[in-house]
Structure formats: C-alpha cells, structure tokens
Amino acid sequence: MRLVFVIVVAVVAALLGAPAATAAEPARVVGVRQLSPTHSVVDVYSPAMNRVVPNDVLRPARGGSLPTLYLLNGALGNEDGVGWINNSGAPAFFADKNVTVVLPIGGRLSFYTDWLADDPILGSNKWQTYLTQELPGVMDQHFGSTRRNAVAGVSMSGGPALDLAVQAPGLYRAAASISGCPASSNPLAQAAISIMIGGALNNPFNMWGPPGAPAWAQHDPSLHADRLRGTAVYAGSASGVPGPVDRIPPGSIPPFGGAAVEAMVNTCTGIFADAVRRAGVPATISMRGEGSHSWALFEDQLKEAWGTTIAPALGTR
C-alpha cells in the first residue's frame, strides 16, 4: 500500500509540476507603419492562417473612439497595388469622416471566405475567420472603438461582404456590395468564379468544392436574404454600358472586358434584389443604366453606399 501511495504522490507531483501545454498564439498587432497623420499600415498575426496580414488603416487625424468600416479590395487583394488606396479617392473621402476604415492587404482570388482545402499556390485561406473572429477584436483594442462595425466589398469581394454579414450575424450593422456578385450559386456566377480562380492556375474546387456543392449555396447571400434582417444593406451595380461615371478619357479603347464583367454582376445584383424583396428585408439597391467595371464607378458607389446605408447604420457622418 505504501508503494502505491508513493507512486500516486509522485504522479500527482509530476502532473502539478509539468509545464502547461502551449496555447495557440492569439491574433495580435505585430507591427505598425505610420505613413501619414491619417494613414497607417497595421500588421496583424492571424492564427487561423498562421501568417501576418498587413492592413491599411485610415483614421481622422483627431483620432478618438470611432466605429469601424472593413473595406475589402478586389480580385488581387491589393497585393499588386491595385485597390481602394491607390485607385480611388477613398483616402481623401474618409479623411474627415468619423470612422476607422480597415482595408486588409491580401486574399487574392480568395473571395474572403474559409476555403475547404488549402491551395498549393494560395496556401491557407481562412479569411472569414480572420475578418469576423480575429481582426475586429485586435482593431478595437489597438485603436479604441464604439464596437459598431460595417463591411463593404468591391468586385470579387462585393458578394462576400454580404456573405460575411450572413455568416456572422450581429457583427456588422451595415454591409455593402459594390459591383459584386451576391448570388454566387447562380450557374453563370459559379462558372465565372471558377474560371476566375482557375485562370490564375489555382484550383477553384478547393474553395467551396465543385460547382453545385452545398457550400456554394451556403455562401450565397441571395439564398439567405432573411438572415440580413436587421442589417442595413446596400447592393450596387451597373449595366456594363460605359457612361460618364466611368470618366473614360476621350479616344480611349472602350473597356469591353469591364463592360462584360459589370453586366454579369448586374445580373447577380438583380437576383439579390429580388431575394431581399421576397424576404421583406429592407435594402438600398442601386442598379444603374450606365457604368462599366471601373474604379470611377466603384468610388461613386462607395460614396452612395456611405451616405445612404453605412454612415446612418454606424451613427456617424
């Protein structure tokens, strides 16, 4: 009996003295670069993707505790320098607004969702987790916040912005799709999205599975319009016909590619508009008769979305 007692005591002592299992590293700020009084780049470690994600952050120089708009970039996630910061007047527009604007850099062709499988080229895509579970808490702690959030996306990220609001109910007071496709399970959309991802030699099936797989419908805002009830919603698009809003220089070659893309997302937006109407969910739908897939159009829609939907929902101006 004494031997058993000694063994038990030894085991308990060993357990009590054993080092605790290492906890997963938390999401956190790992670096800040101040580019101007109103623009910084904040590097955030994402445990979900085990990588550091840089984020452009726009804040008024006066600072303070502000609501937050998560503004997503287009197809290549601004990895190539093409995005809201360099191709639109967004920085100047938000300079005097009472809001913190966070623009993640990265996520090219990811549709800002959690992929079912890692991709040999793109790696691990867990952007829904990053944007809804990791980044908001880090931004709130680092800058101070009213904890009123909104999300908006353009082109590739337009539909996903609305999907993020569907997948994370209560996180966002407003969600906006700017020339995006909020009807991802539509056969035309599935084909276009698969071609877009596959055209860069990535495997589109790693995202939501092959076309027609359940995840395509699970991430289609038009099929879950009822889950947007209580969220201020904006969805904008144009016919694809170039117009004054595109500010195309005289003598330039017409933007045939942009026209085709905008016509496609216009179809998606129409499907979504019908869905929110059937569900009785209030939404601002802006389907313009003219406009191609241009940054000038996107900027105009962003201003419209801000004034009609995002700012009122955030209680700011």
Side-chain angles (χ1 to χ4, degrees):
M1 288 294 293
R2 178 177 175 81
L3 178 60
V4 172
F5 176 76
V6 170
I7 293 174
V8 170
V9 170
V11 170
V12 171
L15 289 175
L16 291 176
T22 302
E25 293 186 74
R28 64 191 186 281
V29 172
V30 296
V32 178
R33 287 157 281 162
Q34 196 70 41
L35 304 184
S36 78
T38 59
H39 181 194
S40 61
V41 176
V42 180
D43 296 324
V44 175
Y45 172 70
S46 165
M49 295 188 285
N50 191 28
R51 72 174 87 160
V52 173
V53 179
N55 303 267
D56 283 305
V57 178
L58 305 175
R59 279 173 57 84
R62 61 183 171 276
S65 183
L66 303 170
T68 306
L69 167 62
Y70 294 91
L71 184 58
L72 309 180
N73 286 295
L76 299 185
N78 196 28
E79 292 179 13
D80 59 346
V82 177
W84 288 109
I85 294 294
N86 296 325
N87 296 89
S88 79
F93 176 72
F94 285 112
D96 64 346
K97 304 297 187 292
N98 293 317
V99 66
T100 298
V101 184
V102 180
L103 307 95
I105 302 172
R108 62 188 174 99
L109 302 174
S110 69
F111 285 80
Y112 290 104
T113 189
D114 283 3
W115 284 37
L116 298 179
D118 290 350
D119 187 85
I121 296 176
L122 299 178
S124 175
N125 281 313
K126 298 294 180 184
W127 287 95
Q128 178 185 312
T129 297
Y130 175 69
L131 291 167
T132 64
Q133 299 178 31
E134 296 177 346
L135 186 59
V138 171
M139 291 292 103
D140 289 350
Q141 182 177 13
H142 186 75
F143 288 108
S145 166
T146 63
R147 300 190 183 277
R148 295 182 177 184
N149 302 308
V151 62
V154 62
S155 189
M156 177 200 76
S157 64
L162 297 181
D163 179 50
L164 289 170
V166 169
Q167 303 298 329
L171 178 59
Y172 307 108
R173 297 199 174 200
S177 170
I178 296 170
S179 286
C181 180
S184 56
S185 68
N186 175 269
L188 175 63
Q190 290 188 63
I193 292 170
S194 297
I195 291 171
M196 182 179 176
I197 296 173
L201 304 181
N202 310 294
N203 185 348
F205 299 169
N206 286 331
M207 184 170 71
W208 293 327
W216 286 85
Q218 292 168 6
H219 291 279
D220 183 339
S222 72
L223 297 182
H224 304 284
D226 58 308
R227 293 170 64 179
L228 290 169
R229 196 179 311 279
T231 302
V233 174
Y234 172 94
S237 61
S239 66
V241 177
V245 69
D246 297 306
R247 302 200 293 271
I248 301 170
S252 299
I253 298 174
F256 296 114
V261 171
E262 193 65 31
M264 191 276 289
V265 301
N266 199 45
T267 298
C268 290
T269 301
I271 294 171
F272 177 76
D274 290 340
V276 292
R277 193 175 300 115
R278 287 193 302 269
V281 173
T284 298
I285 306 295
S286 177
M287 299 178 68
R288 305 183 184 201
E290 290 185 333
S292 64
H293 209 62
S294 67
W295 278 103
L297 171 64
F298 305 156
E299 180 181 331
D300 203 60
Q301 289 175 305
L302 176 61
K303 293 177 180 178
E304 181 179 58
W306 174 261
T308 63
T309 308
I310 299 172
L314 293 179
T316 189
R317 58 178 180 80

